[in-house]
Amino acid sequence: GLFRADNSTLRPQSNTIKKAYLCHSPITTIKPGDLVLFYRSDDRRSVEVLGVVELAVRSADIGEVTALVAKRTVYNQNELTKLVGSGVLVILFRMIKYIPAISADELTKLGIKGAIQTIRTINQDAFDQIVTRSLP
C-alpha cells in the first residue's frame, strides 16, 4: 500500500469496514492516522481503496497476531502461522471508501514510479490528485 501522514482531509465514518493488512515490509514509520491507498495487484492492477491506519504492530507472536486480526482478515490459523513466521507487520485500518480505479500507468503519470506493490510514501501532490479524483 501507499501511505501519507496527514489525514486532515478525510475522516472515517463510525460504520466503516475494519480490515487488517499483513506483510513483511521493513517500514517503521506507519502510525495511527496515516492514510493508506491499496493497490489491487492480482486482477485489476489499480488503486481502489482508501483507508486510515488505526494501529501498526510488528510481531512474531502468533497469539498476538491472531488476536489483533480476529474478524478483520480471511486468513485461517494455518495461513496466519505461516505468514507470521519470524515476524510480520500488522496494519489495522478502517476502510474509508472505494475510490475510482487508478491504474499503474496513471500512477506513473502522477509521479509514483517504481515498486507499486510495496508499502511506500507518496508525495503530497500525487496524493491530493488521487483524492480529488475520488470526490463526488
Side-chain angles (χ1 to χ4, degrees):
L2 308 170
F3 82 98
R4 177 187 100 140
D6 176 22
N7 68 347
S8 62
T9 58
L10 299 167
R11 300 273 188 244
Q13 300 298 317
S14 61
N15 62 351
T16 303
I17 297 170
K18 294 180 177 186
K19 297 280 189 177
Y21 178 77
L22 291 87
C23 66
H24 294 107
S25 172
I27 196 161
T28 59
T29 55
I30 296 177
K31 63 189 180 311
D34 285 347
L35 293 175
V36 288
L37 297 165
F38 287 93
Y39 181 75
R40 185 169 172 163
S41 59
D42 291 339
D43 53 359
R44 296 187 187 152
R45 299 181 48 93
S46 59
V47 169
E48 299 183 7
V49 172
L50 175 62
V52 63
V53 174
E54 293 182 324
L55 180 69
V57 175
R58 191 169 307 278
S59 179
D61 180 336
I62 187 61
E64 179 184 28
V65 172
T66 300
L68 285 170
V69 303
K71 299 182 183 176
R72 288 189 178 220
T73 184
V74 297
Y75 291 118
N76 65 38
Q77 192 63 37
N78 288 336
E79 292 168 325
L80 279 177
T81 300
K82 288 177 187 173
L83 189 57
V84 170
S86 61
V88 67
L89 175 61
V90 177
I91 302 171
L92 302 182
F93 69 97
R94 285 179 175 251
M95 191 179 97
I96 294 173
K97 67 179 189 172
Y98 287 102
I99 61 174
I102 300 170
S103 71
D105 288 341
E106 292 173 282
L107 292 171
T108 299
K109 289 176 187 171
L110 291 173
I112 302 170
K113 299 176 182 168
I116 293 171
Q117 297 172 343
T118 158
I119 296 176
R120 54 183 289 192
T121 59
I122 62 174
N123 69 47
Q124 182 70 46
D125 183 54
F127 183 84
D128 289 346
Q129 286 186 55
I130 290 168
V131 171
T132 299
R133 294 175 72 174
S134 70
L135 296 175

